[in-house]
């Protein structure tokens, strides 16, 4: 089995230890974050580029 490259946070570039903090962009790119804080800050800065999970769940 091939080892995957370590994931880094999309906001601060720290190593990502858990896959719990993710966001999917409109172009289907999955972003990883090191913590909930980085994920929320990224959402504030780049919300127009992210898929709104609440809207897609209601459709």
């Amino acid at each position: 089995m091939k080892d995957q490259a370590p994931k880094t946070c999309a906001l601060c570039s720290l190593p990502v230890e858990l896959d719990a903090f993710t966001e999917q962009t409109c172009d289907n790119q999955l972003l990883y974050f090191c913590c909930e804080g980085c994920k929320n800050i990224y959402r504030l800065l780049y919300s127009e580029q992210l898929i709104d999970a609440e809207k897609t769940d209601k459709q």
Side-chain angles (χ1 to χ4, degrees), residues 6-57:
K7 297 175 188 135
T8 58
C9 180
L11 186 71
C12 72
S13 300
L14 286 175
V16 173
E17 296 180 9
L18 300 172
D19 287 346
F21 309 111
T22 61
E23 282 289 344
Q24 188 170 1
T25 64
C26 291
D27 60 352
N28 290 326
Q29 181 182 7
L30 188 60
L31 302 175
Y32 294 91
F33 299 92
C34 64
C35 66
E36 189 70 29
C38 282
K39 178 181 170 181
N40 287 330
I41 291 170
Y42 190 94
R43 288 190 77 160
L44 286 170
L45 296 173
Y46 301 103
S47 61
E48 71 281 351
Q49 297 174 10
L50 299 174
I51 294 175
D52 189 349
E54 290 180 12
K55 286 182 184 176
T56 56
D57 287 344

Side-chain angles (χ1 to χ4, degrees), residues 1-7:
M1 186 158 85
K2 216 178 202 185
D3 288 332
Q4 291 182 333
K7 297 175 188 135

